[in-house]
Amino acid sequence: MVDGTTGGEGLLFLTDEQLRKGIEAMFFAYRGFTADPDRILEGMDYGRAHHRAIHFIHRSPGTTVSNLLAILGVTKQSLNRVLRSLIEDGLVESRVGKADKRERHLYLTPKGAELERQLSDAQRARMRAAYRAAGPAAVQGFRTVLEAMMDPELRRQYQGLRDGNA
Amino acid sequence: MVDGTTGGEGLLFLTDEQLRKGIEAMFFAYRGFTADPDRILEGMDYGRAHHRAIHFIHRSPGTTVSNLLAILGVTKQSLNRVLRSLIEDGLVESRVGKADKRERHLYLTPKGAELERQLSDAQRARMRAAYRAAGPAAVQGFRTVLEAMMDPELRRQYQGLRDGNA
DNA sequence: CTTGGAAAGTCAACAAGGCTGACGTAAATT
DNA sequence: AATTTACGTCAGCCTTGTTGACTTTCCAAG
């Protein structure tokens, strides 16, 4: 179907074989991407789901449960299980909203921030090594392709995200 | 720690903020990456684990269970459950090895190949759209960074993999 | 020929982290 | 006053990962 010779110019990067390579690169790279935090989390009572919650609360302090739900793309029951344990263990604080008292605003406690730092240090270290090895131009391309792979809705989450916290 | 001003030249791509963006890009992009096959699989009795097995059997017909184990990075009990259902349903064929009769060589049946095609068509379509939108230079960078992110052992799996099927 | 160990398969039990459905409560909105 | 929204929770289920124990088959070394 895609023969790479259609245009005669440089469409060889769109062959099925090149696409397969890209697909496998995503698979193997994602394993590396999660490996370090996973290693830190194992042994604690937490897993990848906790890491994700902590990450996004750190990034958007005061975010609501609804916002988090939209970003993470899980059900509230699933998120609640994770959040409950984090709150019980004193890593996350849940404050009733001032303007709208139905909402819960989420913050990392100092203890939560400490774990966040530990996890993201590990993840950033790998990322930094990869970036450094690949160079700025490659990083630019990396980000461009990833962005193009996202669902449009998630792309908006990724780019903007200043909305919703009016 | 990383201030981006150290060299005076172009190290801004190594700031913590840039790294965080990269981390989130991986997170959101991976969701898109798996979304289409997941959608096809839901309703069938299969999941992402079945997809992965089918993909790598398609790519390396005649591969052994051990090889697959090494590539997928799961326990044999986990893989076995998946493989068993695929074999029972007639998507995968397991042939006793000629040279070493302990080994099982795995092949897709026509029915298995048909599902593989369906799944990878969907995944490739998204990949192709992303590649096309980003352009060849970006794709080059994308692959370079992903490769740098892999664990060394997995990078070897990714690159080589003509071995092991003596 | 015997035996050690590798490859594969199987059973049981368990955990994380998804899901649906149903229900409750408080607060905001209409 | 009625409805909708935001959140929490209980119960139950599924997929996919895990460990541990055990068996069968088979190759290869002693």
Side-chain angles (χ1 to χ4, degrees):
Chain A
M1 267 137 200
V2 170
D3 60 16
T5 65
T6 319
E9 47 136 24
L11 284 130
L12 287 167
F13 74 114
L14 291 175
T15 59
D16 282 2
E17 178 56 17
Q18 287 299 303
L19 295 167
R20 204 215 68 204
K21 274 305 230 181
I23 286 167
E24 294 190 0
M26 277 298 282
F27 172 69
F28 288 121
Y30 199 77
R31 290 253 297 273
F33 174 68
T34 56
D36 303 318
D38 281 0
R39 232 177 325 260
I40 292 171
L41 262 342
E42 100 179 350
M44 307 196 200
D45 280 356
Y46 306 134
R48 219 177 273 181
H50 299 83
H51 181 193
R52 291 197 280 257
I54 287 174
H55 174 96
F56 284 105
I57 293 171
H58 170 78
R59 183 188 89 164
S60 306
T63 190
T64 63
V65 173
S66 301
N67 281 340
L68 214 45
L69 244 29
I71 291 169
L72 296 176
V74 297
T75 60
K76 74 177 166 171
Q77 293 91 329
S78 229
L79 176 58
N80 195 254
R81 181 172 29 199
V82 165
L83 238 32
R84 200 189 318 162
S85 65
L86 290 174
I87 291 169
E88 274 170 10
D89 297 350
L91 301 185
V92 168
E93 195 192 345
S94 166
R95 296 187 207 150
V96 173
K98 281 200 171 68
D100 187 334
K101 290 177 191 161
R102 290 170 307 177
E103 296 181 337
R104 301 301 137 94
H105 298 275
L106 303 170
Y107 300 88
L108 293 185
T109 64
K111 194 174 158 192
E114 159 60 23
L115 178 56
E116 193 285 329
R117 202 191 46 69
Q118 205 185 332
L119 293 169
S120 66
D121 274 0
Q123 200 160 39
R124 269 200 307 269
R126 181 183 294 251
M127 213 67 180
R128 190 178 299 117
Y131 273 24
R132 201 190 299 275
V139 168
Q140 173 63 43
F142 165 74
R143 288 268 296 272
T144 303
V145 174
L146 287 188
E147 227 169 294
M149 278 177 59
M150 296 176 197
D151 276 338
E153 190 202 341
L154 293 175
R155 191 176 312 126
R156 260 175 273 123
Q157 300 273 19
Y158 169 72
Q159 289 165 340
L161 217 22
R162 281 166 288 293
D163 54 327
N165 299 34
Chain B
M1 267 133 204
V2 171
D3 60 16
T5 65
T6 320
E9 48 134 26
L11 284 128
L12 287 167
F13 74 114
L14 291 175
T15 60
D16 282 2
E17 179 58 17
Q18 286 301 303
L19 295 168
R20 204 215 69 205
K21 273 303 226 182
I23 287 167
E24 293 190 1
M26 277 298 283
F27 173 69
F28 288 121
Y30 199 77
R31 290 252 295 274
F33 174 68
T34 56
D36 303 318
D38 281 0
R39 234 181 322 263
I40 292 171
L41 262 342
E42 101 178 349
M44 308 196 198
D45 278 356
Y46 305 135
R48 217 176 276 181
H50 299 83
H51 179 195
R52 292 198 280 256
I54 288 173
H55 173 95
F56 285 106
I57 293 171
H58 169 77
R59 180 187 91 163
S60 305
T63 190
T64 63
V65 173
S66 299
N67 282 339
L68 216 44
L69 243 31
I71 291 169
L72 296 175
V74 297
T75 59
K76 73 177 167 174
Q77 292 91 332
S78 223
L79 176 58
N80 196 254
R81 179 171 33 201
V82 165
L83 239 31
R84 200 189 321 160
S85 65
L86 291 174
I87 291 169
E88 275 169 9
D89 297 350
L91 302 185
V92 167
E93 196 194 343
S94 167
R95 295 186 209 151
V96 173
K98 280 200 173 70
D100 185 337
K101 289 176 192 163
R102 290 167 304 177
E103 295 181 338
R104 303 300 137 97
H105 297 274
L106 303 168
Y107 300 88
L108 293 185
T109 64
K111 194 173 158 193
E114 160 58 25
L115 178 56
E116 192 285 330
R117 203 192 45 69
Q118 205 184 331
L119 292 168
S120 67
D121 274 359
Q123 200 161 39
R124 269 200 307 269
R126 182 183 292 251
M127 212 67 179
R128 190 179 298 118
Y131 272 25
R132 200 190 300 277
V139 168
Q140 173 64 42
F142 165 73
R143 289 268 296 273
T144 303
V145 173
L146 287 188
E147 226 169 296
M149 277 176 60
M150 297 175 196
D151 276 338
E153 191 202 341
L154 292 175
R155 191 175 312 127
R156 259 174 274 124
Q157 299 273 20
Y158 168 71
Q159 288 165 340
L161 218 23
R162 280 165 289 293
D163 55 327
N165 299 34

